[in-house]
Amino acid sequence: MCSTCGCGGEDGSTRVTLVDGHTHDHTHDHDHAHDHPHDHGTRTVLLEQDILAKNDLLAAATRHRLTEHAITAINLMSSPGSGKTTLLERTITDLDGRRETLVIEGDQETWLDAQRIRSTGSKVVQINTGAGCHLDAQMLDRGLAELAPPDGSLVFVENVGNLVCPALFDLGEAARVVIISVTEGADKPAKYPYMFRTADLVLLNKIDLLPYVDFDVDLCLELIHRVKPDVELLPVSATRGDGLDAWHDWLANRSSAAAPRSEYPRRG
């Protein structure tokens, strides 16, 4: 079990699942010490720091490798139901082959979202975390090895729907995008500040529903800027298409500056 957030099975295992149904057992590289009854708090903190330090080292190596191959990885994070998968479907369709786009899907169970992405023609790998509430750098590393993205490609990582733990784990991504929808509370940035503080971009989704919901846009934007004053904000509707040109331009500007090298290495 992951000491940082308490997620995962008893053996820390997750499953990396290809959309064709191929399943691979995968184990967290988490060290688990036995706490002394009188220093539980101290040992827990040290263990959490150790887990995050190991994760960050692997994330840094992944980021370096992706940059070498001019692969841009975008980590999408949000609450469940904010519209991440719908946004991905629309984005892949709108890009229409202008840049090869691949997806890593993170969910606790099922490959329903992966099947939706596959229907767009994009290559996709599903990562099922079981009881886990987030993706980490080791999961992404294994997912990339299965996905084998070509040089110069764009890889979206749809993280597990959760506004807490995904913010703690660097995956090696080029950028983090946090999606909040108008069907959620406008106070989410105040309740979950760390998630919004780590964002490179915030998308306010489902703006086509504003006439039908009680959502204070001004308050939400104010709370986001209190947490991170310089973060970029884009109002969008993944279903109607509002604001998606600006979203596409943002993605184009996030492209890696590194020149492509050889094919992204697969694991043996």
Side-chain angles (χ1 to χ4, degrees), residues 74-79 82-84 86-88 91 156 163 176-182 184 189 196 199-207 215 220-221 224 231-238 242-248 250-251:
I74 305 295
N75 186 2
L76 298 178
M77 300 182 289
S78 76
S79 299
S82 67
K84 294 192 299 298
T86 300
L87 177 71
L88 278 177
T91 301
F156 287 107
L163 285 178
R176 291 182 165 198
V177 176
V178 175
I179 303 169
I180 181 172
S181 70
V182 303
E184 303 173 61
F196 290 87
D200 297 292
L201 173 71
V202 175
L203 297 179
L204 179 60
N205 193 24
K206 304 186 182 182
I207 60 171
F215 185 88
C220 182
L221 299 184
I224 291 171
V231 72
E232 190 171 355
L233 295 157
L234 293 177
V236 299
S237 168
D242 306 39
L244 293 187
D245 285 343
W247 162 236
H248 300 155
W250 185 90
L251 287 172

Side-chain angles (χ1 to χ4, degrees), residues 57-170:
L57 283 174
L58 180 55
T62 297
R63 182 174 291 110
H64 177 72
R65 191 162 64 248
L66 291 174
T67 301
E68 284 189 317
H69 294 274
I71 298 168
T72 305
I74 305 295
N75 186 2
L76 298 178
M77 300 182 289
S78 76
S79 299
S82 67
K84 294 192 299 298
T85 310
T86 300
L87 177 71
L88 278 177
E89 290 175 304
R90 180 66 183 258
T91 301
I92 294 167
T93 301
D94 287 351
L95 292 178
D96 193 25
R98 281 178 282 172
R99 185 178 184 189
E100 185 161 358
T101 304
L102 308 92
V103 178
I104 293 176
E105 281 287 344
D107 279 305
Q108 288 191 325
E109 294 292 346
T110 81
W111 58 54
L112 296 174
D113 287 349
Q115 290 172 323
R116 288 173 59 183
I117 296 300
R118 184 176 61 173
S119 70
T120 69
S122 178
K123 187 175 180 181
V124 59
V125 166
Q126 178 75 49
I127 298 179
N128 291 134
T129 62
C133 58
H134 63 273
L135 299 178
D136 62 25
Q138 188 176 12
M139 296 179 203
L140 182 67
D141 183 57
R142 181 64 183 271
L144 287 169
E146 297 287 356
L147 195 64
D151 290 357
S153 58
L154 176 63
V155 176
F156 287 107
V157 182
E158 184 174 349
N159 218 314
V160 179
N162 178 0
L163 285 178
V164 183
C165 297
L168 297 173
F169 288 83
D170 185 3

Side-chain angles (χ1 to χ4, degrees), residues 182-200:
V182 303
T183 54
E184 303 173 61
D187 57 358
K188 284 291 192 296
K191 291 183 174 181
Y192 305 98
Y194 190 74
M195 172 62 76
F196 290 87
R197 193 174 297 132
T198 65
D200 297 292

